[in-house]
Amino acid sequence: MAIPISYNIRNLKLRKGLTIMTALGIALTVTTAVFLMALLAGLQKAFVASGDSLNVLVMRKGSTAELTGGFDASLFPILKTLPGIAVDKQGQPLASGEWVVVAVLPRENGTGEVNVSVRGIMPSGVALRLDEKGKDGQPKLKLIEGRWFATGQREVVVGRSIRNRFSGTKVGDNLDFAKGQWKVVGVFDSGGSAYDSEIWGDLNQVAADFDRQGGFGSAYLRATDAVSADALKNRVSDDQRLKLEGQLETAYYEKQTSSGGAIKYIGFLVAIIMAIGSSFAAMNTMYAAVAYRSREIATLRVIGFSRPSILTSFVLEALLLSLLGAIVGIVLMLPFNGFSTGIGNQVTFSETVFSLQMTWSVVITAIIFALSMGLIGGFFPAWSASRQEILAALRG
């Protein structure tokens, strides 16, 4: 015969003070774990969402980033004629030669200056990215203010994160970097991807200002489908005329999540240490409950509840305590969901902005994490309760 769950809920209410203190201890551990997981989920979204599986990124062999290396502009016409490249409405191949460089901008809040990425891009590069669709079938990239830059003009469009975090980046403002001023004519939103931390301008204007004429740092090729993308990637790498290397854009940005590697390992170390502490707190609470309720446990045995029933009941009580802690911890973190921050990207040497993402995966993992603490902390006291001798327990 199983002990009803109302019995455990009533006991948690009776020991209100101890229940609240233990639940808060577990909640603080869950809060730390949720913060770290949300941080990593945000980083993952910023980098992985930047890539599209139909885009092939081309760089010089041996280059690990768009910022370094480069290849001669004479190779670009060969790239554009490779089979498998999609075309726009005018029948032109969706291929873009690009440069990524770094400029220094002052923060909006006056706390200093930070490197940001400036991307010199062909008109086809904008068209290529406008062609990308998200899981909902909607374009990933959209202009939310102003217009796109005009070819041949010293105009730029800025990502949403750039507009929010740096001064002089509103539509109509002038940005001062490289060899002069650039007029901000638009703001784009790429759905929280790393592109939101970039400034885009005309390829030739950017190349001239940063003395990069006659070549490209990278090229983007839009494939017609996933199979063609894979074939196109291999075709670029195998073509002996090019001496270039192709890779899927998704793979390139996934490598950049290594920027969060230190956060991941240090953070989880802290979370594990806190989890051990919380498990001991839960264990202490449950041992106290067993000692306080020894006569009650003996009475349960006398009226017919078996040892497995008592063991199950006490474990369930510890799990309820942990679930309460998990709910409190998750609620405490909710106000921080979507909070934006920046991290230095080790690949681009510039700041990438991302936001904390409390996804369902993060929430479910946090609950499982809390229940695991409750299970570990509650099992041994529950085992002790179920093994008590009836006469000894009744004597107190």
Short mmCIF file of all heavy atoms in Angstrom, two decimals, residues 39-51 160 190-194 257 354-355 357 359:
data_model
loop_
_atom_site.label_atom_id
_atom_site.label_comp_id
_atom_site.label_asym_id
_atom_site.label_seq_id
_atom_site.Cartn_x
_atom_site.Cartn_y
_atom_site.Cartn_z
N LEU A 39 23.23 31.42 -20.99
CA LEU A 39 24.37 32.13 -21.59
C LEU A 39 24.89 31.35 -22.80
O LEU A 39 25.09 31.90 -23.88
CB LEU A 39 25.46 32.27 -20.53
CG LEU A 39 26.47 33.39 -20.67
CD1 LEU A 39 25.79 34.74 -20.55
CD2 LEU A 39 27.53 33.28 -19.58
N LEU A 40 25.08 30.05 -22.60
CA LEU A 40 25.59 29.21 -23.68
C LEU A 40 24.58 29.07 -24.81
O LEU A 40 24.94 29.04 -25.99
CB LEU A 40 25.96 27.83 -23.14
CG LEU A 40 27.18 27.83 -22.20
CD1 LEU A 40 27.34 26.48 -21.53
CD2 LEU A 40 28.44 28.19 -22.97
N ALA A 41 23.28 29.00 -24.45
CA ALA A 41 22.25 28.92 -25.49
C ALA A 41 22.23 30.19 -26.32
O ALA A 41 22.03 30.15 -27.55
CB ALA A 41 20.88 28.69 -24.85
N GLY A 42 22.45 31.34 -25.66
CA GLY A 42 22.50 32.61 -26.38
C GLY A 42 23.69 32.67 -27.32
O GLY A 42 23.59 33.13 -28.46
N LEU A 43 24.84 32.20 -26.82
CA LEU A 43 26.04 32.16 -27.67
C LEU A 43 25.81 31.25 -28.88
O LEU A 43 26.17 31.58 -30.01
CB LEU A 43 27.23 31.62 -26.86
CG LEU A 43 28.10 32.64 -26.14
CD1 LEU A 43 29.14 31.91 -25.31
CD2 LEU A 43 28.78 33.56 -27.14
N GLN A 44 25.22 30.10 -28.60
CA GLN A 44 24.95 29.12 -29.66
C GLN A 44 24.05 29.75 -30.72
O GLN A 44 24.29 29.62 -31.93
CB GLN A 44 24.28 27.89 -29.05
CG GLN A 44 24.09 26.73 -29.99
CD GLN A 44 25.37 25.92 -30.16
OE1 GLN A 44 26.35 26.19 -29.48
NE2 GLN A 44 25.36 24.97 -31.07
N LYS A 45 23.03 30.47 -30.27
CA LYS A 45 22.11 31.09 -31.21
C LYS A 45 22.81 32.16 -32.03
O LYS A 45 22.62 32.26 -33.25
CB LYS A 45 20.92 31.70 -30.47
CG LYS A 45 19.92 32.34 -31.41
CD LYS A 45 18.76 32.96 -30.69
CE LYS A 45 17.81 33.62 -31.71
NZ LYS A 45 16.72 34.34 -31.04
N ALA A 46 23.65 32.96 -31.36
CA ALA A 46 24.33 34.06 -32.05
C ALA A 46 25.23 33.54 -33.17
O ALA A 46 25.27 34.12 -34.25
CB ALA A 46 25.15 34.88 -31.07
N PHE A 47 25.93 32.44 -32.91
CA PHE A 47 26.88 31.97 -33.91
C PHE A 47 26.26 31.00 -34.91
O PHE A 47 26.43 31.14 -36.11
CB PHE A 47 28.09 31.32 -33.23
CG PHE A 47 28.97 32.32 -32.56
CD1 PHE A 47 29.18 32.30 -31.20
CD2 PHE A 47 29.59 33.31 -33.30
CE1 PHE A 47 29.98 33.23 -30.58
CE2 PHE A 47 30.40 34.25 -32.70
CZ PHE A 47 30.60 34.21 -31.33
N VAL A 48 25.55 29.99 -34.41
CA VAL A 48 25.01 28.99 -35.31
C VAL A 48 23.91 29.58 -36.18
O VAL A 48 23.79 29.26 -37.37
CB VAL A 48 24.48 27.77 -34.52
CG1 VAL A 48 23.82 26.77 -35.44
CG2 VAL A 48 25.64 27.11 -33.79
N ALA A 49 23.09 30.50 -35.59
CA ALA A 49 22.03 31.12 -36.38
C ALA A 49 22.58 32.01 -37.47
O ALA A 49 21.88 32.39 -38.40
CB ALA A 49 21.11 31.93 -35.46
N SER A 50 23.88 32.38 -37.36
CA SER A 50 24.49 33.23 -38.39
C SER A 50 24.70 32.46 -39.68
O SER A 50 24.78 33.04 -40.76
CB SER A 50 25.84 33.76 -37.90
OG SER A 50 25.70 34.38 -36.67
N GLY A 51 24.83 31.18 -39.56
CA GLY A 51 25.11 30.39 -40.74
C GLY A 51 23.86 29.84 -41.39
O GLY A 51 22.84 29.65 -40.75
N ARG A 160 21.25 45.48 -35.52
CA ARG A 160 20.42 45.97 -34.41
C ARG A 160 21.22 46.13 -33.12
O ARG A 160 21.06 47.11 -32.39
CB ARG A 160 19.27 44.99 -34.20
CG ARG A 160 18.29 45.36 -33.12
CD ARG A 160 17.09 44.43 -33.14
NE ARG A 160 17.49 43.02 -33.16
CZ ARG A 160 17.76 42.31 -32.08
NH1 ARG A 160 17.65 42.86 -30.90
NH2 ARG A 160 18.12 41.03 -32.17
N SER A 190 19.00 40.50 -37.91
CA SER A 190 19.23 39.13 -38.41
C SER A 190 18.77 38.09 -37.40
O SER A 190 19.27 36.96 -37.41
CB SER A 190 20.70 38.93 -38.76
OG SER A 190 21.50 39.03 -37.60
N GLY A 191 17.85 38.49 -36.51
CA GLY A 191 17.27 37.52 -35.58
C GLY A 191 18.19 37.08 -34.47
O GLY A 191 18.09 35.94 -33.99
N GLY A 192 19.09 37.98 -34.02
CA GLY A 192 19.97 37.64 -32.90
C GLY A 192 21.23 36.91 -33.31
O GLY A 192 21.97 36.44 -32.45
N SER A 193 21.51 36.82 -34.60
CA SER A 193 22.74 36.15 -35.03
C SER A 193 23.93 37.10 -34.91
O SER A 193 23.77 38.28 -34.57
CB SER A 193 22.59 35.68 -36.48
OG SER A 193 22.72 36.78 -37.36
N ALA A 194 25.13 36.59 -35.20
CA ALA A 194 26.35 37.40 -35.09
C ALA A 194 26.34 38.57 -36.08
O ALA A 194 27.05 39.56 -35.87
CB ALA A 194 27.57 36.51 -35.34
N THR A 257 31.77 29.19 -31.56
CA THR A 257 31.18 29.03 -30.23
C THR A 257 32.26 28.67 -29.20
O THR A 257 32.01 28.68 -28.01
CB THR A 257 30.10 27.94 -30.21
OG1 THR A 257 30.66 26.72 -30.70
CG2 THR A 257 28.93 28.33 -31.07
N PHE A 354 25.20 39.00 -27.72
CA PHE A 354 24.24 37.90 -27.67
C PHE A 354 23.35 38.11 -26.45
O PHE A 354 23.66 38.93 -25.57
CB PHE A 354 24.94 36.54 -27.61
CG PHE A 354 25.73 36.33 -26.35
CD1 PHE A 354 25.20 35.60 -25.30
CD2 PHE A 354 27.00 36.86 -26.21
CE1 PHE A 354 25.91 35.41 -24.13
CE2 PHE A 354 27.72 36.68 -25.05
CZ PHE A 354 27.19 35.95 -24.02
N SER A 355 22.26 37.41 -26.40
CA SER A 355 21.34 37.57 -25.28
C SER A 355 21.10 36.23 -24.59
O SER A 355 21.21 35.16 -25.20
CB SER A 355 20.00 38.14 -25.76
OG SER A 355 19.44 37.29 -26.74
N GLN A 357 19.26 33.17 -23.35
CA GLN A 357 18.12 32.47 -23.95
C GLN A 357 17.64 31.36 -23.01
O GLN A 357 18.26 30.30 -22.92
CB GLN A 357 18.52 31.87 -25.30
CG GLN A 357 18.95 32.88 -26.34
CD GLN A 357 17.78 33.70 -26.85
OE1 GLN A 357 16.70 33.17 -27.08
NE2 GLN A 357 18.00 35.00 -27.01
N THR A 359 15.59 28.83 -23.06
CA THR A 359 14.80 27.97 -23.94
C THR A 359 14.13 26.87 -23.11
O THR A 359 14.46 26.65 -21.94
CB THR A 359 15.70 27.34 -25.00
OG1 THR A 359 16.68 26.54 -24.33
CG2 THR A 359 16.42 28.40 -25.82
#
